[in-house]
Amino acid sequence: MSTPVIGVLALQGDVREHLVALAEADAQARPVRRAEELAEVDGLVIPGGESTTMSKLAVAFGVLEPLRERVRAGLPTYGTCAGMIMLANKILDGREDQETVGGIDMIVRRNAFGRQNESFEAAVDFTGVDGGPVEGVFIRAPWVESVGGDVEVLATHEDHMVAVRQGQVLATSFHPELTGDHRVHRLFVDMVRGA
Ligand code: GLN
């Protein structure tokens, strides 16, 4: 599998930016909206956007259960920001009826870093990414409030966990797809190749 096929969940959010970043990181990238499309990919990215809307659309498109099943079965998956929220087994400050896919034994707090106008950028040291810190773009970003014993913490910002991995599932509070630096996407593509 030298060029893995990686889907980007295309219900809502910054899908196009991830498609570009994945292609530049040597994957074959394609949008995924339906269960049949999900069945064809070697890995999946859940983009940034608005997790409450994404949750609703995942139910409406009948893709929530298939997503849960494939992630549970070991599909390499990477979520950024709203995508991180979708990969949390439990969330805080979510909407009452908000569903997640789950996959990482963590509790994620939505909008933890504040409102839209408190969005910021910061250099983030990222375990497993060589070549110096990555530029973290945080937009109404969540943080990871707590993790279970099998979760590896890959990055923190001011004592808050902002990048984590459990098995084949990776999540960041911030948006590497919005910078020209695709090292985090390369890390994920390597995870998919190794899976
Ligand atoms: N605050 C958004 C949510 O709850 C996430 C923001 C983002 O993805 N940039 O889904």
Side-chain angles (χ1 to χ4, degrees):
M1 201 205 294
S2 57
T3 306
V5 177
I6 300 186
V8 179
L9 187 65
L11 300 173
Q12 189 269 335
D14 66 340
V15 176
R16 207 182 59 85
E17 288 79 357
H18 275 291
L19 291 171
V20 171
L22 287 167
E24 289 179 0
D26 301 322
Q28 196 185 312
R30 53 165 83 154
V32 164
R33 289 185 191 84
R34 307 196 167 271
E36 307 83 74
E37 293 164 333
L38 179 63
E40 290 170 1
V41 298
D42 304 312
L44 181 75
V45 166
I46 305 184
E50 178 47 54
S51 58
T52 55
T53 309
M54 225 183 274
S55 154
K56 261 195 236 157
L57 293 173
V59 172
F61 276 67
V63 80
L64 183 64
E65 271 313 317
L67 277 168
R68 285 177 173 158
E69 275 163 35
R70 276 220 76 188
V71 172
R72 212 180 294 132
L75 180 72
T77 307
Y78 171 34
T80 63
C81 201
M84 167 187 262
I85 296 168
M86 292 295 284
L87 291 173
N89 286 1
K90 190 164 186 266
I91 58 177
L92 299 174
D93 296 339
R95 266 192 18 183
E96 213 147 279
D97 59 348
Q98 186 170 353
E99 302 274 1
T100 72
V101 173
I104 300 183
D105 179 15
M106 61 178 173
I107 300 175
V108 167
R109 186 178 291 280
R110 279 184 70 221
N111 303 332
F113 282 108
R115 307 190 62 78
Q116 188 81 25
N117 61 6
E118 292 166 275
S119 299
F120 62 95
E121 295 186 22
V124 176
D125 286 314
F126 201 118
T127 303
V129 172
D130 294 330
V134 301
E135 191 60 16
V137 179
F138 294 81
I139 304 169
R140 271 190 311 131
W143 68 47
V144 180
E145 192 111 347
S146 67
V147 293
D150 294 332
V151 179
E152 213 182 328
V153 178
L154 302 179
T156 59
H157 175 69
E158 289 174 352
D159 291 334
H160 299 296
M161 297 176 270
V162 295
V164 293
R165 176 176 177 175
Q166 181 175 8
Q168 299 301 328
V169 189
L170 176 72
T172 60
S173 298
F174 52 92
H175 294 270
E177 74 279 14
L178 298 182
T179 68
D181 178 356
H182 301 317
R183 285 177 293 163
V184 179
H185 284 80
R186 283 187 192 284
L187 170 76
F188 179 61
V189 174
D190 284 342
M191 278 171 59
V192 178
R193 278 206 196 91

